[in-house]
Amino acid sequence: MLWSQTFLPTLKETPADAEIVSHQLLLRAGLVRKLTGGLYTFLPMGLRVLRKIERIIRQEMDRAGGVELLMPALQPIDIWQASGRYETASGVLFKVRDSARKDWVLGPTHEEVITSLAANELNSYRQLPKNFYQIQTKFRDEIRPRFGLMRAKEFLMKDAYSFDATDAGAMASYQRMYDAYNRIFARCGLQAFPVEADTGVIGGNHSHEFMVPAETGENDVVYCESGKYAANIEKAVSRGSVEATPAESTGAAPERFATPGVVTIEALAAAPYGVSARHQIKTLVLIADSKPMLVLMRGDDSLNEAKLLAKTGAVQVRPATPDEIVALLGARPGSLGAVAATLKTAVPVLADEALRGGRGMTTGANEDGFHLRHVDIDRDLKVGAWHDLRTVKVGEACVETGQPLKIRRAIEVGHVFKLGTKYSEKLNATFLAEDGSRHPAVMGCYGIGVTRTLQAVIEQCHDKDGIRWPVSVAPFAVCLTPLVVTPGSQPMTLALDLQARLEAAGIETILDDRDERPGVKFKDSELVGFPLRVNLGEKSLAKGEIELKPRGGTMRMVPIAEAAAEVIAWVRAESERLGAA
Ligand code: ATP
Ligand code: MG
């Protein structure tokens, strides 16, 4: 490819509306252009990278036994109603209406479509297991599309769905995808690691997200340096999550005491009260899917909303308004409590595991300006359900090793999930077993954000000069840079000759034939991030040499006659380092 022939508009200035470095580089390196928030056009260089990532994904999916198909992006709403997600996912669903005033959905994901296919096509245990995948455009009505391709309204996803006859089979399918994902990200040159993820109401421990550590990520990952534990904060536990507050009961009955103006945990912890946060019960009034509930947390803990949703199966939860609280409990926030004797309502009470067995606690008296002390949870509270609902904090002991946990930000690039029979039951994807009985197929689903992965590579592989593409996904492995571009000149002639030889060896090259100063060409090539630049200048050619400059590495001179072999060897070694196909 000649630079002048393609379309590679680099930018010197950092675009003002790009907040994170990978987004800035996407634009500056001429990979994409924004149409409007959350919608991007892929320019030739961006598209080349995208195709390479897709190719790696396809190879690894095929190797893991996946079979590719392609489903429609436009979907009828009846399957969404049947799965129950027309309601529960309505926040992200793009709905469109046709001329006959019928509503449709632009697919944010394809469980409904694939399960409908399976319902019609997979009827016997002999056809199982099957793992279907596609690479396709998804639509999500993200409220705040941002960070370029990271959170877009339209993006490319690889989604796969496995159908098994048995639970053990489904676990094997899950493991194959888990292993394939590790290989895919490694081959893309990405350091991504699997963490335990929220499984929502489906429960179980069979969901992992693949995370790329990055300050700009939107996820918090809790991990132990031993490598034995890593989980999304939405799911993470520590030893502190299961250990109850130590008993400190005086045996006394709950005692009401005046706390005028005290409405926070901190105020009750301060003089003259001095009740440590750990010995307070925080009472939250929440409205989950329009039903009120009380959620009790230890005073020094914070509620993890994802855990609450997962444990209750609620779709949405919000704090009750002050008016709703007064109507329900007869007191304002700051004096609330769940001591049975002070509760005038039959609202469900959920409590965090860390409170279990707590004694000598202090909580609100459901009377403005008053609290209760000497509260023993088992004796004085009527807890309807105990769950792990707290958010793990830095430094708490790892459940596996006891070592202090750390937390870091990360980008979710992939997700594997054992679904069980949730969708196959709802959409009737059953099969006949060998003994003639009929069962719903056991499913798994597996997603990779292809466009997000592309940007995550940039987020991880860049320096002050621009992108540093791993050779496996670089738009071109080699940038040939003749410093004189006049047709027939020695640098240009040699560059064209070298290009022909490299292309013949299967190495993709771009030849910078622009009549620009060397500094401009070098800067652009570094910004776009080609892994190897080959400089052909009159001075070094006169000495019989060509310069090889790996991106981010040191320059090396090689004899003209050996240049092609040297470049081929360099590219092959880099490819192998990343684990070629
Ligand atoms: P997030 O929590 O970031 O919103 P998700 O958990 O809803 O993502 P999944 O349904 O698991 O996403 O989708 C599979 C993959 O698709 C994700 O791991 C991510 O890489 C990618 N993805 C999801 N939403 C977007 C988006 N709005 N823009 C780009 N990629 C996305
Ligand atoms: Mg996810």
Side-chain angles (χ1 to χ4, degrees):
M1 175 68 70
L2 294 178
W3 194 300
S4 64
Q5 264 174 8
T6 184
F7 183 65
L8 210 177
T10 56
L11 304 174
K12 279 196 193 65
E13 304 297 328
T14 301
D17 62 344
E19 295 162 63
I20 66 174
V21 66
S22 55
H23 185 192
Q24 294 164 359
L25 288 171
L26 268 177
L27 296 165
R28 288 192 54 212
L31 298 164
V32 304
R33 284 294 180 262
K34 174 166 138 180
L35 174 61
T36 182
L39 297 178
Y40 289 84
T41 296
F42 276 80
L43 301 184
M45 290 306 119
L47 187 60
R48 289 183 73 91
V49 178
L50 199 58
R51 293 286 177 253
K52 294 204 166 162
I53 297 174
E54 286 176 29
R55 188 159 167 265
I56 291 172
I57 293 175
R58 282 200 172 89
Q59 285 173 348
E60 293 298 338
M61 291 305 295
D62 293 347
R63 174 145 90 155
V67 282
E68 187 171 4
L69 43 62
L70 185 61
M71 293 178 257
L74 190 64
Q75 309 179 8
I77 62 171
D78 59 332
I79 52 177
W80 284 82
Q81 284 161 339
S83 73
R85 288 208 292 188
Y86 195 63
E87 296 296 323
T88 59
S90 70
V92 295
L93 285 183
F94 268 112
K95 294 169 191 166
V96 287
R97 184 162 285 186
D98 67 15
S99 53
R101 307 194 67 74
K102 187 170 152 51
D103 289 325
W104 304 78
V105 163
L106 287 175
T109 175
H110 279 71
E111 280 82 6
E112 282 77 3
V113 177
I114 197 76
T115 313
S116 305
L117 181 86
N120 289 326
E121 303 294 333
L122 299 179
N123 291 312
S124 159
Y125 72 96
R126 282 195 214 92
Q127 294 168 287
L128 302 178
K130 265 276 157 307
N131 187 342
F132 295 116
Y133 80 92
Q134 65 174 348
I135 295 179
Q136 194 231 26
T137 302
K138 299 285 186 271
F139 299 87
R140 292 192 184 179
D141 192 4
E142 301 281 359
I143 317 163
R144 278 205 304 152
R146 58 192 191 134
F147 298 159
L149 306 174
M150 292 287 189
R151 186 163 299 286
K153 283 180 180 290
E154 179 183 321
F155 59 97
L156 200 60
M157 196 200 285
K158 185 287 299 176
D159 44 330
Y161 307 88
S162 63
F163 295 84
D164 274 270
T166 63
D167 214 56
M171 276 321 300
S173 295
Y174 182 89
Q175 190 61 41
R176 264 196 300 280
M177 285 297 106
Y178 181 99
D179 296 341
Y181 276 35
N182 276 319
R183 280 196 302 272
I184 287 168
F185 295 121
R187 285 185 58 193
C188 291
L190 252 189
Q191 279 169 31
F193 61 98
V195 309
E196 289 178 23
D198 175 26
T199 44
V201 282
I202 292 173
N205 253 333
H206 303 301
S207 173
H208 287 88
E209 285 160 343
F210 285 77
M211 294 288 192
V212 173
E215 274 315 304
T216 55
E218 295 187 277
N219 294 268
D220 280 314
V221 169
V222 176
Y223 67 102
C224 177
E225 276 196 329
S226 68
K228 294 205 173 96
Y229 183 77
N232 190 313
I233 197 140
E234 297 180 342
K235 159 97 181 176
V237 291
S238 69
R239 292 203 176 155
S241 306
V242 286
E243 279 164 10
T245 304
E248 295 179 20
S249 177
T250 56
E255 180 190 34
R256 182 173 161 276
F257 65 108
T259 50
V262 169
V263 293
T264 62
I265 302 284
E266 295 74 36
L268 200 57
Y273 309 101
V275 183
S276 71
R278 199 179 167 81
H279 296 112
Q280 298 185 38
I281 305 172
K282 185 154 55 179
T283 308
L284 307 171
V285 188
L286 302 172
I287 310 290
D289 294 350
S290 75
K291 283 192 267 335
M293 58 167 69
L294 297 189
V295 175
L296 311 182
M297 306 294 302
R298 217 170 55 194
D300 58 341
D301 276 338
S302 54
L303 171 70
N304 191 311
E305 200 180 292
K307 288 186 179 177
L308 182 73
L309 293 177
K311 302 287 164 46
T312 59
V315 175
Q316 270 177 339
V317 64
R318 64 169 173 89
T321 63
D323 286 349
E324 285 169 331
I325 292 175
V326 172
L328 199 67
L329 297 178
R332 277 193 284 270
S335 302
L336 307 177
V339 169
T342 69
L343 271 185
K344 295 162 204 83
T345 153
V347 66
V349 178
L350 270 63
D352 178 58
E353 289 288 351
L355 281 174
R356 222 187 246 276
R359 304 205 277 166
M361 307 289 286
T362 297
T363 189
N366 285 331
E367 190 181 339
D368 289 346
F370 288 92
H371 279 78
L372 293 170
R373 58 185 158 219
H374 309 313
V375 172
D376 288 3
I377 291 178
D378 292 342
R379 182 189 66 192
D380 302 322
L381 266 59
K382 249 219 198 100
V383 174
W386 292 92
H387 295 297
D388 165 39
L389 297 171
R390 67 190 289 279
T391 305
V392 165
K393 293 190 282 261
V394 166
E396 291 180 8
C398 170
V399 279
E400 298 293 336
T401 66
Q403 289 176 31
L405 290 169
K406 302 200 157 181
I407 300 184
R408 67 177 157 199
R409 301 288 281 173
I411 301 162
E412 177 195 330
V413 286
H415 195 166
V416 293
F417 202 115
K418 180 163 171 258
L419 286 169
T421 54
K422 179 180 166 182
Y423 293 95
S424 48
E425 278 175 34
K426 290 199 165 127
L427 291 154
N428 219 14
T430 59
F431 68 94
L432 272 181
E434 203 168 355
D435 64 4
S437 58
R438 205 163 252 293
H439 304 277
V442 190
M443 292 175 59
C445 67
Y446 318 94
I448 291 180
V450 184
T451 40
R452 187 185 284 183
T453 296
L454 183 155
Q455 195 176 333
V457 175
I458 303 177
E459 192 66 27
Q460 206 171 61
C461 308
H462 70 269
D463 60 19
K464 62 172 186 13
D465 300 318
I467 304 172
R468 292 174 63 169
W469 289 114
V471 78
S472 55
V473 296
F476 290 96
V478 179
C479 178
L480 297 165
T481 312
L483 303 183
V484 177
V485 294
T486 328
S489 66
Q490 191 197 15
M492 192 61 181
T493 307
L494 277 176
L496 286 167
D497 176 61
L498 195 51
Q499 180 166 48
R501 289 209 257 162
L502 294 174
E503 298 278 340
I507 289 174
E508 295 176 352
T509 62
I510 183 165
L511 192 159
D512 190 352
D513 60 337
R514 297 173 302 163
D515 190 10
E516 291 281 0
R517 282 178 291 115
V520 171
K521 292 180 153 199
F522 293 168
K523 267 207 161 58
D524 269 352
S525 148
E526 283 179 0
L527 174 60
V528 185
F530 302 114
L532 185 66
R533 197 177 69 231
V534 179
N535 300 333
L536 301 103
E538 281 176 318
K539 256 197 227 144
S540 46
L541 290 179
K543 283 188 266 167
E545 286 174 331
I546 283 176
E547 292 172 3
L548 302 193
K549 171 74 174 71
R551 178 72 178 84
T554 43
M555 179 103 74
R556 188 155 65 88
M557 314 296 289
V558 296
I560 297 173
E562 286 161 34
E566 288 277 351
V567 171
I568 292 168
W570 188 90
V571 172
R572 294 210 171 131
E574 276 299 293
S575 307
E576 260 154 47
R577 193 174 60 77
L578 293 163

